[in-house]
Amino acid sequence: MQLTKLEIKGFKSFGDKITINFDDGVTGIVGPNGCGKSNVVDAIRWVLGEQSTRALRSEKMENIIFNGTKNRKAANLAEVSLTFDNTRNILPTEFSQVTVTRKLYRTGDSEYRLNDVQCRLKDITDLFLDTGIGADSYSIIELKMIDEIITNKEGSRRNLFEEASGISKYKLRKKQTFNKLKDTEADLERVDDLLFEIEKNLKTLENQAKKTERYYKLRDQYKSLSITLASFRIASFSEALGKIEEQEQKHRTEKLGIVTEIDKLEAIVQQQKLDSITKEKNLSVQQKATNEYVSKIRAYESEKKIKNEHLKFQQDKETRLNEELEKDRGQLNHIFYNLKRLAEEKAQEDENLQTIQHLVADMKLAVDDLREQQTGARNELNELTSINNRLQGQVYKAEKD
């Protein structure tokens, strides 16, 4: 198995896509300090599954994406691909050429690909077990790692020998097996806890089951009684419907008799109409003479109707005026009552005012007495102060003499 090609795009200082071909012999990368030689090793570590940002010489994983320059904008993802020649079938896969790819987007999403097929990090780690290739294997050795191997810091020398001898794969599987056993033991403890909780709640569940069974029995009884009640109601409705049908039949019979009677009356009316026509012919002459009287009668009736309407209007007006008068009388009585009540309240307020005025006068007299007493006290105080001042002057003069 031989490393044949490394493709880097958007990783750290590699803004453009570059391809490094590893031909037969020794491939060396030279350049001044800061040109990005170590970034090539970091890219190889990263694509093989390195998760430690400290090992990649970065504070956080997002910083490995090309951050742009003054003339170029930042990249949206970092992508590294590593290609191996597997013609000797050292890697446990059927492909003669294996390409491992890792991508990291600025949104935080990442993905691993094996021959351009999305896979898990575990798949890549299992693929390179016991091959000496990996993020922390002896295939990639830095200067600081040589110091760690010499000083055997944190058992690095033993880890190196175990990786070279093929033991690390079995140790990893042993560790994974122990982890699975611990998880299984934790699940068993959880099952015991669940069984204890279930036994604890068993009586409650039995009571609930009994209540549920009783509920279903009561529901069946309710359903049966509801059906019985519905049948009784249907029977009563059927009986009522039969009575209504009998009444309808009776009404139909009565209607038939009424229709027959109407036909007889219509025949009589037709005969009377014929007689009326004959009489009208006979009375046509007399009607001409009576038209003038009819016209006078109609005029009188019209005048009578107008006078009746006027009389009705006057009566309605009288009724309305009587109602308004009665309403005004009620309001007037209410006003008289309010005036009487206000007069009584005014008399009471006048009495209260006189009482207050008397009290104010008494208080004014008391205030005047107090003011006279205050004036007398002030005069006495002034006299005492004057006497005190004279005495102090005499004492001072005597002390001076």
Side-chain angles (χ1 to χ4, degrees):
M1 182 180 66
Q2 181 181 355
L3 175 63
T4 59
K5 185 169 58 175
L6 173 65
E7 295 178 347
I8 308 174
K9 179 181 179 182
F11 182 84
K12 286 194 173 182
S13 60
F14 299 102
D16 296 325
K17 181 178 181 181
I18 67 165
T19 302
I20 301 175
N21 294 310
F22 297 93
D23 299 326
D24 295 337
V26 178
T27 300
I29 300 174
V30 296
N33 293 334
C35 68
K37 300 187 297 297
S38 299
N39 291 342
V40 176
V41 179
D42 292 340
I44 295 174
R45 285 184 178 276
W46 184 69
V47 73
L48 291 175
E50 181 62 63
Q51 301 296 322
S52 174
T53 55
R54 180 174 173 272
L56 296 174
R57 300 177 298 117
S58 178
E59 294 181 358
K60 52 185 180 179
M61 193 62 73
E62 184 182 352
N63 291 341
I64 68 171
I65 303 175
F66 179 67
N67 204 24
T69 63
K70 293 181 179 180
N71 300 324
R72 296 188 59 178
K73 63 180 181 179
N76 291 326
L77 80 155
E79 180 180 356
V80 178
S81 297
L82 204 60
T83 304
F84 296 91
D85 183 9
N86 192 35
T87 54
R88 297 170 59 184
N89 293 325
I90 295 177
L91 295 177
T93 179
E94 59 184 2
F95 298 102
S96 61
Q97 185 173 341
V98 177
T99 301
V100 180
T101 304
R102 183 177 180 180
K103 296 181 181 180
L104 176 65
Y105 296 90
R106 196 170 290 278
T107 58
D109 298 332
S110 64
E111 64 179 42
Y112 293 89
R113 288 184 173 272
L114 188 61
N115 283 356
D116 205 22
V117 177
Q118 191 169 358
C119 63
R120 302 171 299 172
L121 174 60
K122 185 177 182 299
D123 298 332
I124 296 176
T125 304
D126 293 340
L127 180 67
F128 289 107
L129 278 177
D130 283 345
T131 61
I133 298 174
D136 55 352
S137 64
Y138 63 86
S139 60
I140 302 174
I141 299 178
E142 297 178 273
L143 183 61
K144 62 179 182 179
M145 292 179 64
I146 297 174
D147 295 335
E148 291 177 357
I149 293 171
I150 293 172
T151 59
N152 195 21
K153 184 178 179 181
E154 297 179 357
S156 58
R157 190 185 304 169
R158 180 177 180 178
N159 294 332
L160 179 64
F161 290 151
E162 288 177 352
E163 179 71 25
S165 60
I167 300 175
S168 60
K169 176 174 69 174
Y170 301 103
K171 289 185 69 176
L172 179 61
R173 291 178 180 175
K174 179 181 178 182
K175 183 179 179 181
Q176 292 175 352
T177 304
F178 278 128
N179 290 333
K180 289 181 180 179
L181 287 173
K182 288 181 180 180
D183 294 338
T184 304
E185 290 176 355
D187 291 338
L188 289 173
E189 291 178 359
R190 181 59 181 161
V191 168
D192 293 336
D193 294 337
L194 290 174
L195 289 174
F196 177 75
E197 291 293 331
I198 290 171
E199 290 176 356
K200 183 179 174 181
N201 297 327
L202 187 60
K203 292 183 179 179
T204 305
L205 294 173
E206 287 178 356
N207 293 331
Q208 291 179 357
K210 290 179 180 178
K211 290 180 180 179
T212 304
E213 185 178 359
R214 183 183 177 189
Y215 164 75
Y216 284 126
K217 289 181 179 178
L218 292 175
R219 189 183 66 176
D220 294 337
Q221 291 178 3
Y222 173 76
K223 184 177 180 181
S224 176
L225 293 174
S226 298
I227 293 171
T228 305
L229 179 62
S231 62
F232 284 136
R233 287 183 177 178
I234 291 171
S236 62
F237 290 157
S238 299
E239 185 178 355
L241 181 62
K243 292 180 180 179
I244 292 171
E245 289 178 351
E246 290 178 359
Q247 291 179 0
E248 183 182 5
Q249 187 65 29
K250 182 179 179 181
H251 291 161
R252 286 179 179 177
T253 306
E254 293 177 355
K255 180 181 177 181
L256 183 61
I258 292 170
V259 170
T260 304
E261 187 69 23
I262 289 172
D263 292 337
K264 291 179 180 180
L265 292 175
E266 285 182 352
I268 294 171
V269 168
Q270 291 294 331
Q271 184 63 40
Q272 289 177 355
K273 283 183 179 180
L274 293 174
D275 296 339
S276 178
I277 291 171
T278 304
K279 290 180 180 179
E280 285 179 357
K281 291 181 179 179
N282 294 328
L283 294 174
S284 60
V285 177
Q286 297 178 0
Q287 190 172 1
K288 290 181 181 179
T290 57
N291 283 336
E292 294 180 0
Y293 296 102
V294 172
S295 299
K296 291 179 180 181
I297 290 171
R298 287 179 178 175
Y300 173 76
E301 288 179 351
S302 178
E303 186 178 358
K304 181 181 178 181
K305 186 176 180 181
I306 292 171
K307 289 181 178 181
N308 288 334
E309 291 291 335
H310 184 69
L311 179 61
K312 184 179 179 182
F313 174 75
Q314 293 296 332
Q315 289 175 352
D316 293 339
K317 184 176 181 181
E318 182 181 3
T319 303
R320 181 171 55 80
L321 291 174
N322 288 332
E323 291 176 354
E324 292 179 356
L325 181 61
E326 187 65 26
K327 185 177 180 181
D328 292 339
R329 284 176 181 173
Q331 292 179 354
L332 183 61
N333 292 331
H334 183 67
I335 291 169
F336 285 153
Y337 172 74
N338 289 334
L339 289 174
K340 183 179 179 181
R341 182 174 56 80
L342 291 173
E344 292 175 355
E345 292 179 356
K346 183 176 180 299
Q348 184 65 33
E349 294 296 331
D350 291 339
E351 291 178 1
N352 294 335
L353 180 61
Q354 289 177 2
T355 304
I356 293 170
Q357 287 176 352
H358 290 314
L359 291 174
V360 170
D362 294 338
M363 292 177 69
K364 284 183 178 179
L365 292 174
V367 170
D368 292 338
D369 293 339
L370 291 173
R371 285 179 179 174
E372 289 177 359
Q373 293 176 6
Q374 185 181 10
T375 303
R378 284 181 180 175
N379 293 330
E380 291 177 0
L381 181 62
N382 291 330
E383 290 177 0
L384 292 174
T385 303
S386 178
I387 293 168
N388 188 20
N389 291 332
R390 286 198 300 269
L391 290 173
Q392 288 180 356
Q394 291 175 2
V395 171
Y396 176 73
K397 185 177 181 182
E399 290 177 353
K400 187 176 182 182
D401 293 340

